Amino acid sequence: MGEPLKLNTILRTAVGAGLILPALALIAFGPDTSREVPPDRVVVTYWEKWTDFEGTAMRRLCDVFNDTAGAELGIYVDYVLTTQIDLKSLVAACGGDPPDLNGLWTFNVSSYAAKGALQPLDERAAEAGITPEVILPVYYNQGVYHDQLYSVPLTPWSIALYYNKDIFAEFADELAAAGYSADRAPRTMDEFADYCRIVHRRNDKNDIELHGFVLGVPENIGWYWYAWGTWFGATWSDPETGLMKIDSAEQIRAYEWLQEFVRMFGQRDMIRLESSLANFNSPDNPFMTGRLAMMQQGPWFPNMIRQYAPEINYGAAPFPTHDGSEISYCGQDVLVIPSGARHPDEAWAFIDWLYNSPPINVPSGAAEPQFGYEYCIIETNEGPQQRPMPPLRPLEWLCWNHYKNSPYIEPADDFTRTHPNPVVEVHDQLARSPLAMTEPPIPNWMELRGEFEATYRDIWAGRAEAAPCLRAAQKRIDALTKLAADRMARYGEEYP
Amino acid sequence: MIKRGPTSGHSAHDLLTGLAWISPWLVGFAAFMFLPICISAYLAFCQFNGLRAPVFTGLENVRTLFTDPTFWKVLKNTSIYAAFALPLGTLLALALAVLLNMRVPGRTLWRAIIFVPTLVPLVAVAMIWMWIFNGRYGLINMCLGAVGIEGPNWLGDANWTMPAMILLSFWTVGHAVVIYLAGLQDVPRALYEAAHVDGATAWQRLRFVTVPMISPSIFFNVVIGIIFVWQVFAVPQIMIPNGGPGRNAYFYTMYVYDVAFEHQRFGYACILSWVQLFIILALTALAFRLSKRLVFYRGAVT
Amino acid sequence: MMDSPLLRYVGLVVLVILCAVFVSPLLWMLSTSLKPQEEIKTSGFAALPDNPSRTLQYAYENYYAGRDKFVDDRGIERTGYEGVLTSDNVHFILYLRNTLIVAVFSVAGVVFASAICAYGFAKVAWPGRDPVFAVVLATMMIPFPAVMIPTYFIFKFLGWIGTLAPLWVPACFGTAFNIFLLRQFFMQIPGDLSEAARIDGLNHWGIFWRIVLPLSRPALAVVALFHTMYVWNDYIGPLIYLNHQDTFTLALGLQFYQAQHGGTPWNLLMAACTLITAPLLILFVMSQRTFIEGITTTGMKG
């Protein structure tokens, strides 16, 4: 106090000013949004979950719209990346702050629609020609809840078996001895188990060095972990009542099979192998490092292989099933317009453009070539060849860039011919299978799936036996179902 | 303080003056505490999904409570967490305070090091420890590996998520340490000298002089601890959403949040939060009762 | 204290070991943030990258500029990554600005409002003052989850969901904790002072503004500091009220960064953690005494 200036004081003042002045400057002059939105346009806020190459493609598509049709119509689509979008969107809807356009997963639709969070799209869709005559039924029907259409397909997919051909070739003799050919993937679950037994190698310390297949926790293997039962002919709901059912004979068989499979190779070893997956979209995925021969994956997978392990010689096939029939599990990313959206007409104008714009030739030079905007690499008889990307309808342009199959019954010729995903036909074929499975339209599917997931984790980790565990979970699900049905009954609505 | 006669005219005027001074709090209390509590008391007996009007359902939510296994699970988890994190954290904080109170070189530095973790934003705490608990490359398992122990996959193993959370809670005891340290520095030296003359060992001095003398601080911290430990949210929510494997680290507030904002069952979430409030109040009341026997207040309590 | 030299020696060793444990997560965070992605999983305990002379370059890449193509540990050429501060998907500068806006408004509000209310409780005599103050204290025990849901709908009614307002407006009515803290401080200001001022013709407002506030600067600093910390740390508030990336605060932005599909590499995540922790550490170093005093006064007077 009252002393002459001390070094300490000067220093502190300097640091203090060094913190506070930039802070004030930032408040006064800093950015108040991450994007520049042109004035005098109606801004359609579009929430989407994609990052990485998928996000880049969708952003690019929004740019194209904003530069062309959007400029004419006076609409600007503002792409906003949103993680945990299924959660955030409902919270925003409850808070009266929803976006105009929302990119959800198809399995969110029934939950949202039942809560009254979505606008029905039937009339608009019929006018725009988005009908079951044009769209593959498996994808169209996923948007329907209580006979109304609430979502339109954006990028569809189906789950297939990806396998490393070189690893199969390495075990060709052993496979042949068991009566299999290294040139093809297993078709039934019995064959699948045989393949896994054969394609297996341990080092001197008895650690697994190479392995056939591993399932695992959702964070690592993907959100569609519950597809497992489908390969055994199971559904997630009782076909008669439409209520969620996970303790059917088929489901129990599927998960008992899984437990048996895991125990055959050792629970501990399997968990260790699986934890090294550390998310399938990662260079550490043992499939990428050549330590895992088979995975259950969607059409995006070849793009990851291309990035992380381009040397892998892989193929795709329908996932093996209990009886060898071509069962498939399909899903998609969809677009919805939330109730309470401020600009539903403008949001729809964007959807309409996606479906009905003439093929677009995307301006070159703006995007990174590794995402395939300007050219594509096509497997030909003379090996991989670089080709220019053809003009496509915006929707198919997006699917193309996402490496995904088309939602159309009749995809454009160019789409199929030039598609960058060498195994896209497999996914397309699976989407057309009469046994294509999708999540049932259950109003509280997300809540019930949570129970299923907790059970699945226990089963996978061997903490409980599959059958009693599933039955116990079914009891919890029944209780939650009853509560949900009561809740809907109070509004005079029927469950499911 | 100015004392005035208790005439009614003055009194009314004084009352108005007083209320005027505390009016910011009054408004805030009414709008963000009293009104919410009233609404919550109503919603607790309703079904409400946030998008449609609430429907009164009587005791339905209370009945649901008794048959909801997840409710009992989170209650159990949070109790276990509280039962370990709070007492062990208190012991650790006391030990650190006693150590810091010794005449050792570099005390300010040591104190700062113990305190600094409490400054790290919770979101960053969660991420740093996710990395530290990483089963393969994490710091803990590397250290264990260096002495030949194969560490568990902390956050991926149902048996280890809860110990991981408890362990992590010790990192932020610095707050309590600083309070205890201040308490220790207030303990009159004469007491120690007297104890020394009486031939008390170091342990006896700790047990019969130090602890009683700082028991008010301990009590204060335990009460604060009860309130906070029952609300634990951000760190586990980020590290192991939905409680991880077996939901073994699914805590109460995480469940309230999920029921409300993930499943839009706001009515049920309200009754859950009422239960939480009552638990915290009951435990605090219990602490106050026990304090009458266990806490030693120097001189008159002011 | 009269500890034997041996005891002190042992104590020092234990203290140093514990301090090493306490500081290691932060050091590891910093160390990880200085490494290139391909070394994260192979570098073990190494504090610096394999090639220490490139530490600064790697730091520059992780924190700011990002990186073009690189060759990973298996010799495969990989697409590069974006630096934390220049990422296309997360906008830390924007989040920082939002956080600062919340901090400035709510700190200004909370200091001013709490001081006014505290004056009302400390220096104005009015009937019913003590019972009302007891209510203030009691509200400190009500956990946020108990009022979280109804408060959400109050803000929805006001049309504030998705804006920063719910994060700072409530603070402008004062908070129980800060009113309590300031009241304690105001009580210590001798009554003679205000009595003298009153004789000089100052009314309550004059006393508050000219005498009490200037004398309470240290206490006001404590309130401001603690509230800044609170804003910086708050996770559940932004999580509930903010939906749009453009309104995110740092805590939520960091979580958003981590939760991206496929996860964020550890070196970048730790760089982001370092960035949001650093300002608080600087603040602490600058005002260590205020921190410690603030905590001890609030801790002791309970």
Side-chain angles (χ1 to χ4, degrees):
Chain A
M1 308 275 162
E3 288 168 40
L5 282 178
K6 279 199 282 186
L7 183 66
N8 194 5
T9 321
I10 299 173
L11 205 67
R12 283 226 250 164
T13 318
V15 177
L19 279 181
I20 288 168
L21 291 180
L24 292 178
L26 187 66
I27 291 180
F29 308 111
D32 55 4
T33 164
S34 52
R35 294 160 308 279
E36 274 179 35
V37 172
D40 31 279
R41 287 233 209 148
V42 177
V43 175
V44 170
T45 312
Y46 168 32
W47 287 6
E48 189 51 87
K49 54 196 157 306
W50 291 315
T51 58
D52 211 11
F53 75 99
E54 290 167 329
T56 316
M58 190 68 211
R59 278 178 207 267
R60 186 87 195 102
L61 202 54
C62 292
D63 288 347
V64 173
F65 173 82
N66 291 335
D67 291 344
T68 57
E72 283 167 29
L73 297 166
I75 300 172
Y76 184 88
V77 175
D78 186 12
Y79 181 102
V80 181
L81 171 66
T82 310
T83 60
Q84 296 172 301
I85 193 163
D86 39 353
L87 184 70
K88 272 279 158 205
S89 308
L90 260 188
V91 177
C94 290
D97 179 38
D100 298 310
L101 198 58
N102 211 341
L104 293 179
W105 285 282
T106 186
F107 50 78
N108 301 138
V109 172
S110 54
S111 305
Y112 276 56
K115 286 182 176 122
L118 301 181
Q119 300 194 6
L121 302 173
D122 304 75
E123 282 174 29
R124 295 181 195 266
E127 241 171 75
I130 307 172
T131 60
E133 286 77 46
V134 181
I135 306 293
L136 283 170
V138 63
Y139 295 128
Y140 183 88
N141 292 335
Q142 280 186 303
V144 178
Y145 174 75
H146 280 196
D147 299 326
Q148 279 195 303
L149 184 73
Y150 286 99
S151 73
V152 295
L154 187 56
T155 63
W157 37 266
S158 59
I159 298 296
L161 174 76
Y162 277 82
Y163 60 98
N164 186 324
K165 289 179 176 171
D166 288 342
I167 298 184
F168 278 12
E170 199 185 323
F171 289 87
D173 295 344
E174 290 91 332
L175 284 169
Y180 300 115
S181 158
D183 299 334
R184 72 162 181 87
R187 290 188 192 117
T188 67
M189 277 296 168
D190 292 339
E191 287 184 16
F192 183 60
D194 286 345
Y195 269 66
C196 290
R197 260 190 293 271
I198 294 166
V199 181
H200 185 78
R201 193 167 62 220
R202 286 171 188 259
N203 65 12
D204 333 331
K205 284 188 269 173
N206 205 30
D207 289 334
I208 295 179
E209 207 170 70
L210 191 150
H211 185 60
F213 176 82
V214 67
L215 213 61
V217 294
E219 305 83 279
N220 293 348
I221 62 156
W223 62 95
Y224 47 84
W225 52 270
Y226 48 85
W228 188 251
T230 39
W231 318 130
F232 292 80
T235 56
W236 300 283
S237 60
D238 187 321
E240 308 223 323
T241 59
L243 303 182
M244 178 132 165
K245 188 162 175 64
I246 59 163
D247 66 344
S248 63
E250 293 84 2
Q251 290 285 12
I252 289 180
R253 198 163 123 224
Y255 289 99
E256 280 182 339
W257 192 100
L258 178 66
Q259 281 199 321
E260 209 178 300
F261 177 82
V262 168
R263 283 170 189 159
M264 185 161 70
F265 299 104
Q267 185 83 54
R268 221 175 95 92
D269 288 346
M270 281 294 101
I271 287 180
R272 276 177 71 176
L273 179 70
E274 187 267 345
S275 66
S276 70
L277 259 164
N279 197 291
F280 64 87
N281 182 10
S282 130
D284 299 324
N285 178 346
F287 189 88
M288 306 293 182
T289 55
R291 290 177 57 221
L292 190 65
M294 294 180 272
M295 281 198 91
Q296 168 189 276
Q297 279 290 343
W300 48 80
F301 199 49
N303 190 42
M304 293 162 190
I305 298 177
R306 193 176 52 76
Q307 283 181 54
Y308 303 133
E311 75 284 0
I312 285 185
N313 180 17
Y314 64 92
F319 204 86
T321 54
H322 63 121
D323 57 358
S325 57
E326 199 172 271
I327 304 176
S328 71
Y329 164 70
C330 297
Q332 57 182 332
D333 303 278
V334 294
L335 283 178
V336 298
I337 302 181
S339 34
R342 283 178 208 108
H343 311 294
D345 296 336
E346 287 79 2
W348 182 264
F350 179 63
I351 297 180
D352 192 29
W353 177 80
L354 285 174
Y355 273 85
N356 294 321
S357 155
I360 51 167
N361 235 333
V362 173
S364 64
E368 298 98 308
Q370 74 263 25
F371 294 133
Y373 289 112
E374 293 172 67
Y375 64 89
C376 51
I377 294 179
I378 298 170
E379 291 291 332
T380 65
N381 293 335
E382 296 95 51
Q385 297 252 316
Q386 192 171 314
R387 295 278 165 79
M389 184 184 170
L392 291 172
R393 273 177 287 191
L395 189 72
E396 285 193 322
W397 184 94
L398 184 69
C399 298
W400 192 99
N401 277 288
H402 278 197
Y403 279 52
K404 291 169 185 157
N405 44 308
S406 168
Y408 287 111
I409 293 178
E410 287 177 30
D413 284 345
D414 278 343
F415 179 85
T416 320
R417 193 171 51 77
T418 66
H419 203 285
N421 182 342
V423 294
V424 73
E425 298 89 0
V426 177
H427 292 284
D428 191 55
Q429 170 200 338
L430 285 170
R432 290 160 197 274
S433 162
L435 294 173
M437 305 288 304
T438 57
E439 292 88 351
I442 287 176
N444 57 338
W445 165 258
M446 285 152 76
E447 185 183 24
L448 299 184
R449 194 190 63 171
E451 289 300 328
F452 192 9
E453 184 180 322
T455 311
Y456 168 72
R457 285 173 190 270
D458 286 344
I459 293 175
W460 150 251
R463 280 193 291 277
E465 294 304 314
C469 199
L470 286 167
R471 290 201 186 98
Q474 182 64 42
K475 287 225 176 70
R476 297 201 298 274
I477 285 174
D478 288 343
L480 287 169
T481 300
K482 176 157 186 315
L483 284 174
D486 288 351
R487 286 199 296 272
M488 288 183 72
R490 290 191 192 103
Y491 291 119
E493 287 165 11
E494 246 177 78
Y495 184 99
Chain B
M1 208 96 332
I2 309 146
K3 287 248 162 80
R4 286 167 194 275
T7 57
S8 62
H10 270 158
S11 169
H13 178 258
D14 288 349
L15 182 66
L16 283 180
T17 316
L19 291 182
W21 276 95
I22 65 156
S23 58
W25 176 80
L26 281 177
V27 174
F29 173 75
F32 303 117
M33 196 62 85
F34 187 69
L35 183 60
I37 285 176
C38 295
I39 297 176
S40 181
Y42 173 64
L43 284 183
F45 300 99
C46 287
Q47 128 182 1
F48 182 43
N49 76 358
L51 290 159
R52 299 173 175 194
V55 178
F56 189 78
T57 56
L59 292 174
E60 176 71 23
N61 288 333
V62 182
R63 274 196 293 275
T64 310
L65 215 51
F66 286 100
T67 54
D68 177 1
T70 318
F71 163 70
W72 295 103
K73 179 90 188 169
V74 295
L75 206 56
K76 185 179 141 210
N77 287 344
T78 317
S79 307
I80 294 175
Y81 179 72
F84 282 93
L86 196 53
L88 294 180
T90 306
L91 282 182
L92 177 67
L94 271 175
L96 281 167
V98 169
L99 286 173
L100 283 170
N101 197 37
M102 296 197 309
R103 271 175 299 161
V104 292
R107 268 171 52 178
T108 327
L109 176 70
W110 308 132
R111 188 183 65 180
I113 286 178
I114 300 291
F115 182 71
V116 152
T118 64
L119 297 169
V120 180
L122 292 176
V123 186
V125 170
M127 281 165 205
I128 294 168
W129 283 85
M130 270 164 92
W131 181 212
I132 287 175
F133 281 133
N134 187 298
R136 301 180 79 205
Y137 311 107
L139 187 60
I140 291 192
N141 280 4
M142 280 205 309
C143 292
L144 290 175
V147 293
I149 303 170
E150 191 189 337
N153 181 13
W154 293 88
L155 302 179
D157 186 328
N159 296 324
W160 287 99
T161 43
M162 179 64 87
M165 287 299 120
I166 293 170
L167 207 59
L168 163 51
S169 74
F170 298 150
W171 194 49
T172 47
V173 294
H175 222 88
V177 173
V178 170
I179 295 175
Y180 294 152
L181 193 55
L184 287 176
Q185 281 160 355
D186 281 355
V187 178
R189 289 181 67 92
L191 280 177
Y192 288 113
E193 277 156 22
H196 196 67
V197 170
D198 290 349
T201 62
W203 169 251
Q204 284 170 328
R205 267 175 287 156
L206 184 71
R207 171 69 188 80
F208 295 108
V209 179
T210 313
V211 171
M213 287 307 286
I214 63 164
S215 57
S217 306
I218 299 177
F219 171 67
F220 173 80
N221 263 314
V222 166
V223 171
I224 296 284
I226 290 171
I227 296 174
F228 275 91
V229 91
W230 270 86
Q231 288 184 61
V232 59
F233 177 75
V235 172
Q237 174 79 9
I238 293 164
M239 290 176 78
I240 34 173
N242 302 113
R247 288 182 174 164
N248 281 356
Y250 202 16
F251 294 113
Y252 203 98
T253 307
M254 293 162 77
Y255 187 51
V256 176
Y257 174 83
D258 284 346
V259 168
F261 294 102
E262 199 168 321
H263 304 312
Q264 276 70 40
R265 292 167 60 191
F266 292 102
Y268 186 52
C270 281
I271 197 106
L272 284 172
S273 63
W274 275 103
V275 171
Q276 185 183 22
L277 178 62
F278 286 136
I279 290 173
I280 290 176
L281 291 182
L283 287 174
T284 314
L286 186 72
F288 270 98
R289 290 208 86 150
L290 289 178
S291 79
K292 293 210 175 104
R293 279 203 287 144
L294 301 177
V295 177
F296 172 81
Y297 287 100
R298 229 180 306 171
V301 184
T302 45
Chain C
M1 247 201 252
M2 272 157 295
D3 302 315
S4 67
L6 177 71
L7 207 60
R8 277 227 304 271
Y9 208 71
V10 174
L12 182 62
V13 171
V14 174
L15 188 60
V16 170
I17 291 173
L18 282 172
C19 282
V21 171
F22 267 73
V23 80
S24 58
L26 288 174
L27 293 181
W28 214 44
M29 163 185 87
L30 188 65
S31 152
T32 304
S33 78
L34 300 177
K35 291 174 188 168
Q37 197 169 311
E38 64 271 23
E39 284 179 26
I40 294 303
K41 290 175 177 166
T42 53
S43 67
F45 290 110
L48 290 174
D50 285 352
N51 182 351
S53 60
R54 301 183 68 178
T55 308
L56 278 182
Q57 183 202 331
Y58 291 138
Y60 177 69
E61 286 171 354
N62 287 345
Y63 283 86
Y64 187 76
R67 202 160 173 212
D68 293 335
K69 289 194 171 115
F70 68 97
V71 177
D72 72 6
D73 45 352
R74 284 186 297 129
I76 291 172
E77 188 174 271
R78 300 263 312 276
T79 45
Y81 43 86
E82 293 169 319
V84 172
L85 287 175
T86 54
S87 167
D88 266 350
N89 291 332
V90 289
H91 308 273
F92 276 106
I93 300 293
L94 184 62
Y95 307 154
L96 175 64
R97 179 173 188 263
N98 293 332
T99 313
L100 288 172
I101 290 174
V102 174
V104 166
F105 283 111
S106 64
V107 166
V110 84
V111 169
F112 194 61
S114 302
I116 291 180
C117 297
Y119 184 86
F121 283 118
K123 293 283 173 194
V124 184
W126 49 282
R129 187 178 70 174
D130 292 344
V132 174
F133 188 65
V135 175
V136 174
L137 291 183
T139 60
M140 278 165 66
M141 293 209 299
I142 297 181
F144 177 66
V147 292
M148 168 172 86
I149 292 151
T151 312
Y152 182 83
F153 288 101
I154 292 174
F155 287 128
K156 178 189 179 178
F157 175 76
L158 294 170
W160 289 356
I161 299 297
T163 71
L164 295 175
L167 301 177
W168 62 266
V169 171
C172 296
F173 298 100
T175 64
F177 175 78
N178 292 317
I179 293 173
F180 161 72
L181 195 151
L182 289 176
R183 174 184 173 268
Q184 297 300 99
F185 198 89
F186 292 172
M187 298 276 267
Q188 290 167 5
I189 297 174
D192 311 352
L193 249 132
S194 34
E195 190 59 20
R198 184 177 295 279
I199 291 163
D200 286 351
L202 280 181
N203 59 9
H204 271 309
W205 181 257
I207 298 171
F208 171 69
W209 193 248
R210 301 246 189 98
I211 297 174
V212 173
L213 276 194
L215 280 173
S216 318
R217 251 186 262 154
L220 299 177
V222 169
V223 171
L225 199 62
F226 281 9
H227 203 75
T228 309
M229 295 269 304
Y230 168 78
V231 169
W232 209 266
N233 230 320
D234 189 16
Y235 174 70
I236 193 166
L239 180 69
I240 293 168
Y241 300 128
L242 303 179
N243 300 311
H244 194 290
Q245 246 207 81
D246 283 353
T247 55
F248 281 3
T249 58
L250 277 175
L252 200 58
L254 182 60
Q255 195 262 335
F256 172 67
Y257 188 51
Q258 178 254 337
Q260 291 191 48
H261 183 68
T264 304
W266 288 113
N267 55 333
L268 301 181
L269 206 53
M270 289 302 114
C273 286
T274 312
L275 280 176
I276 95 161
T277 308
L280 293 178
L281 296 189
I282 297 174
L283 210 58
F284 172 69
V285 171
M286 277 176 53
S287 48
Q288 193 173 350
R289 209 185 302 151
T290 317
F291 262 100
I292 303 292
E293 275 167 14
I295 291 172
T296 43
T297 42
T298 53
M300 293 309 295
K301 301 282 156 57

